[in-house]
Amino acid sequence: MKLMKQLLAMATIAFATAAQAAPAVEAPDVLVKRISQDVIDTAKNDKAIQAGDIKRVTELVESKILPYVDFQRMTALAAGRYWRDATPDQQKQLAAEFRTLLIYTYSGALSQIKNETVEFKPLRADPADTEVEVRSQVNVARGEPVPLNYRVAKTPSGWKIYDINVLGAWLVETYKSSFASEISKGGVDGLIKTLAAKNKALASRPAAKAK
């Protein structure tokens, strides 16, 4: 589980740097490769991140991650059929809490990144495709390489990631069952309250101990 969190952190925060330098048009695999390397280098060299400074990580994510990740689509997929029944305000709150949860849950793992490298596979896609899967593997110091794949969609503002696969498990699917369980007990508002409470608890402890 620790390894999965570490890899998910690398993937989730893989879009947190170099936003201002991004070309106007860039292939999805090139984009993911470039920024993934940037974030690994940043995590390795940033003393605050290595020390588990959640404030530093949160500031980095809030300022740089949004242009590259479609959190609303991520949330809609995780909420499933319940998303359509939610009001616009509920959708907004749910997406915000889910985004915060991902940041808090995986930011602590950034301090664990030491000698990992990422190797990307050739992109299997047609130039006209608007949704593609970018495949890669994380090479670790000990053990076999770990598959790490991204689902990316083309939007009017460029390519954006909306799901991540680590060790054969898609992030959205991982949360889908727990979201459905919470909604069945307390509705969408109940899920929002649960996520808000979880985020409050995670915010009160050091990033390295967030689980």
PDB file of all heavy atoms in Angstrom, residues 152-165:
ATOM      1  N   VAL A 152      -5.904  10.064 -20.759  1.00  0.00           N
ATOM      2  CA  VAL A 152      -5.817  11.493 -21.063  1.00  0.00           C
ATOM      3  C   VAL A 152      -6.816  11.836 -22.157  1.00  0.00           C
ATOM      4  O   VAL A 152      -6.982  11.082 -23.121  1.00  0.00           O
ATOM      5  CB  VAL A 152      -4.391  11.861 -21.518  1.00  0.00           C
ATOM      6  CG1 VAL A 152      -4.219  13.367 -21.623  1.00  0.00           C
ATOM      7  CG2 VAL A 152      -3.354  11.282 -20.558  1.00  0.00           C
ATOM      8  N   ALA A 153      -7.505  12.962 -21.999  1.00  0.00           N
ATOM      9  CA  ALA A 153      -8.500  13.396 -22.979  1.00  0.00           C
ATOM     10  C   ALA A 153      -8.148  14.774 -23.521  1.00  0.00           C
ATOM     11  O   ALA A 153      -7.622  15.627 -22.803  1.00  0.00           O
ATOM     12  CB  ALA A 153      -9.891  13.422 -22.344  1.00  0.00           C
ATOM     13  N   LYS A 154      -8.446  14.974 -24.789  1.00  0.00           N
ATOM     14  CA  LYS A 154      -8.195  16.267 -25.426  1.00  0.00           C
ATOM     15  C   LYS A 154      -9.373  17.192 -25.155  1.00  0.00           C
ATOM     16  O   LYS A 154     -10.530  16.855 -25.406  1.00  0.00           O
ATOM     17  CB  LYS A 154      -8.006  16.089 -26.930  1.00  0.00           C
ATOM     18  CG  LYS A 154      -7.454  17.314 -27.625  1.00  0.00           C
ATOM     19  CD  LYS A 154      -7.105  17.004 -29.072  1.00  0.00           C
ATOM     20  CE  LYS A 154      -6.415  18.181 -29.745  1.00  0.00           C
ATOM     21  NZ  LYS A 154      -6.052  17.869 -31.149  1.00  0.00           N
ATOM     22  N   THR A 155      -9.095  18.361 -24.629  1.00  0.00           N
ATOM     23  CA  THR A 155     -10.118  19.352 -24.312  1.00  0.00           C
ATOM     24  C   THR A 155      -9.789  20.646 -25.054  1.00  0.00           C
ATOM     25  O   THR A 155      -8.702  20.787 -25.625  1.00  0.00           O
ATOM     26  CB  THR A 155     -10.164  19.631 -22.801  1.00  0.00           C
ATOM     27  OG1 THR A 155      -9.015  20.418 -22.437  1.00  0.00           O
ATOM     28  CG2 THR A 155     -10.171  18.335 -22.002  1.00  0.00           C
ATOM     29  N   PRO A 156     -10.714  21.604 -25.067  1.00  0.00           N
ATOM     30  CA  PRO A 156     -10.434  22.883 -25.726  1.00  0.00           C
ATOM     31  C   PRO A 156      -9.194  23.586 -25.172  1.00  0.00           C
ATOM     32  O   PRO A 156      -8.561  24.377 -25.880  1.00  0.00           O
ATOM     33  CB  PRO A 156     -11.702  23.699 -25.435  1.00  0.00           C
ATOM     34  CG  PRO A 156     -12.780  22.658 -25.321  1.00  0.00           C
ATOM     35  CD  PRO A 156     -12.117  21.513 -24.614  1.00  0.00           C
ATOM     36  N   SER A 157      -8.824  23.268 -23.925  1.00  0.00           N
ATOM     37  CA  SER A 157      -7.655  23.903 -23.320  1.00  0.00           C
ATOM     38  C   SER A 157      -6.429  22.998 -23.310  1.00  0.00           C
ATOM     39  O   SER A 157      -5.436  23.282 -22.639  1.00  0.00           O
ATOM     40  CB  SER A 157      -7.980  24.331 -21.887  1.00  0.00           C
ATOM     41  OG  SER A 157      -8.403  23.233 -21.110  1.00  0.00           O
ATOM     42  N   GLY A 158      -6.492  21.894 -24.064  1.00  0.00           N
ATOM     43  CA  GLY A 158      -5.340  20.994 -24.156  1.00  0.00           C
ATOM     44  C   GLY A 158      -5.627  19.630 -23.547  1.00  0.00           C
ATOM     45  O   GLY A 158      -6.728  19.342 -23.090  1.00  0.00           O
ATOM     46  N   TRP A 159      -4.614  18.767 -23.546  1.00  0.00           N
ATOM     47  CA  TRP A 159      -4.759  17.418 -23.004  1.00  0.00           C
ATOM     48  C   TRP A 159      -4.812  17.460 -21.484  1.00  0.00           C
ATOM     49  O   TRP A 159      -4.042  18.166 -20.847  1.00  0.00           O
ATOM     50  CB  TRP A 159      -3.594  16.539 -23.446  1.00  0.00           C
ATOM     51  CG  TRP A 159      -3.605  16.213 -24.898  1.00  0.00           C
ATOM     52  CD1 TRP A 159      -2.947  16.875 -25.891  1.00  0.00           C
ATOM     53  CD2 TRP A 159      -4.327  15.153 -25.535  1.00  0.00           C
ATOM     54  NE1 TRP A 159      -3.208  16.294 -27.107  1.00  0.00           N
ATOM     55  CE2 TRP A 159      -4.044  15.235 -26.921  1.00  0.00           C
ATOM     56  CE3 TRP A 159      -5.169  14.151 -25.070  1.00  0.00           C
ATOM     57  CZ2 TRP A 159      -4.593  14.332 -27.844  1.00  0.00           C
ATOM     58  CZ3 TRP A 159      -5.711  13.252 -25.984  1.00  0.00           C
ATOM     59  CH2 TRP A 159      -5.422  13.354 -27.354  1.00  0.00           C
ATOM     60  N   LYS A 160      -5.735  16.674 -20.913  1.00  0.00           N
ATOM     61  CA  LYS A 160      -5.862  16.609 -19.463  1.00  0.00           C
ATOM     62  C   LYS A 160      -6.022  15.164 -19.014  1.00  0.00           C
ATOM     63  O   LYS A 160      -6.722  14.380 -19.643  1.00  0.00           O
ATOM     64  CB  LYS A 160      -7.052  17.438 -18.982  1.00  0.00           C
ATOM     65  CG  LYS A 160      -6.864  18.943 -19.142  1.00  0.00           C
ATOM     66  CD  LYS A 160      -7.971  19.707 -18.456  1.00  0.00           C
ATOM     67  CE  LYS A 160      -7.748  21.205 -18.558  1.00  0.00           C
ATOM     68  NZ  LYS A 160      -8.783  21.976 -17.825  1.00  0.00           N
ATOM     69  N   ILE A 161      -5.394  14.851 -17.904  1.00  0.00           N
ATOM     70  CA  ILE A 161      -5.505  13.504 -17.345  1.00  0.00           C
ATOM     71  C   ILE A 161      -6.792  13.393 -16.535  1.00  0.00           C
ATOM     72  O   ILE A 161      -7.206  14.340 -15.881  1.00  0.00           O
ATOM     73  CB  ILE A 161      -4.291  13.196 -16.445  1.00  0.00           C
ATOM     74  CG1 ILE A 161      -4.307  11.735 -16.009  1.00  0.00           C
ATOM     75  CG2 ILE A 161      -4.249  14.102 -15.246  1.00  0.00           C
ATOM     76  CD1 ILE A 161      -3.047  11.307 -15.289  1.00  0.00           C
ATOM     77  N   TYR A 162      -7.458  12.235 -16.643  1.00  0.00           N
ATOM     78  CA  TYR A 162      -8.677  12.052 -15.855  1.00  0.00           C
ATOM     79  C   TYR A 162      -8.720  10.713 -15.131  1.00  0.00           C
ATOM     80  O   TYR A 162      -9.675  10.414 -14.418  1.00  0.00           O
ATOM     81  CB  TYR A 162      -9.920  12.227 -16.735  1.00  0.00           C
ATOM     82  CG  TYR A 162     -10.114  11.175 -17.802  1.00  0.00           C
ATOM     83  CD1 TYR A 162     -10.864  10.024 -17.544  1.00  0.00           C
ATOM     84  CD2 TYR A 162      -9.559  11.323 -19.071  1.00  0.00           C
ATOM     85  CE1 TYR A 162     -11.049   9.053 -18.522  1.00  0.00           C
ATOM     86  CE2 TYR A 162      -9.744  10.360 -20.060  1.00  0.00           C
ATOM     87  CZ  TYR A 162     -10.488   9.239 -19.779  1.00  0.00           C
ATOM     88  OH  TYR A 162     -10.658   8.283 -20.749  1.00  0.00           O
ATOM     89  N   ASP A 163      -7.680   9.907 -15.266  1.00  0.00           N
ATOM     90  CA  ASP A 163      -7.611   8.668 -14.498  1.00  0.00           C
ATOM     91  C   ASP A 163      -6.177   8.150 -14.534  1.00  0.00           C
ATOM     92  O   ASP A 163      -5.415   8.433 -15.466  1.00  0.00           O
ATOM     93  CB  ASP A 163      -8.567   7.613 -15.055  1.00  0.00           C
ATOM     94  CG  ASP A 163      -8.995   6.590 -14.009  1.00  0.00           C
ATOM     95  OD1 ASP A 163      -8.485   6.668 -12.869  1.00  0.00           O
ATOM     96  OD2 ASP A 163      -9.850   5.738 -14.319  1.00  0.00           O
ATOM     97  N   ILE A 164      -5.815   7.398 -13.504  1.00  0.00           N
ATOM     98  CA  ILE A 164      -4.465   6.876 -13.356  1.00  0.00           C
ATOM     99  C   ILE A 164      -4.550   5.410 -12.961  1.00  0.00           C
ATOM    100  O   ILE A 164      -5.383   5.034 -12.140  1.00  0.00           O
ATOM    101  CB  ILE A 164      -3.698   7.649 -12.264  1.00  0.00           C
ATOM    102  CG1 ILE A 164      -3.646   9.148 -12.591  1.00  0.00           C
ATOM    103  CG2 ILE A 164      -2.287   7.098 -12.080  1.00  0.00           C
ATOM    104  CD1 ILE A 164      -3.311  10.004 -11.384  1.00  0.00           C
ATOM    105  N   ASN A 165      -3.680   4.586 -13.546  1.00  0.00           N
ATOM    106  CA  ASN A 165      -3.662   3.162 -13.237  1.00  0.00           C
ATOM    107  C   ASN A 165      -2.324   2.791 -12.623  1.00  0.00           C
ATOM    108  O   ASN A 165      -1.271   2.986 -13.231  1.00  0.00           O
ATOM    109  CB  ASN A 165      -3.893   2.339 -14.514  1.00  0.00           C
ATOM    110  CG  ASN A 165      -4.018   0.846 -14.227  1.00  0.00           C
ATOM    111  OD1 ASN A 165      -3.150   0.238 -13.613  1.00  0.00           O
ATOM    112  ND2 ASN A 165      -5.104   0.252 -14.696  1.00  0.00           N
TER     113      ASN A 165
END
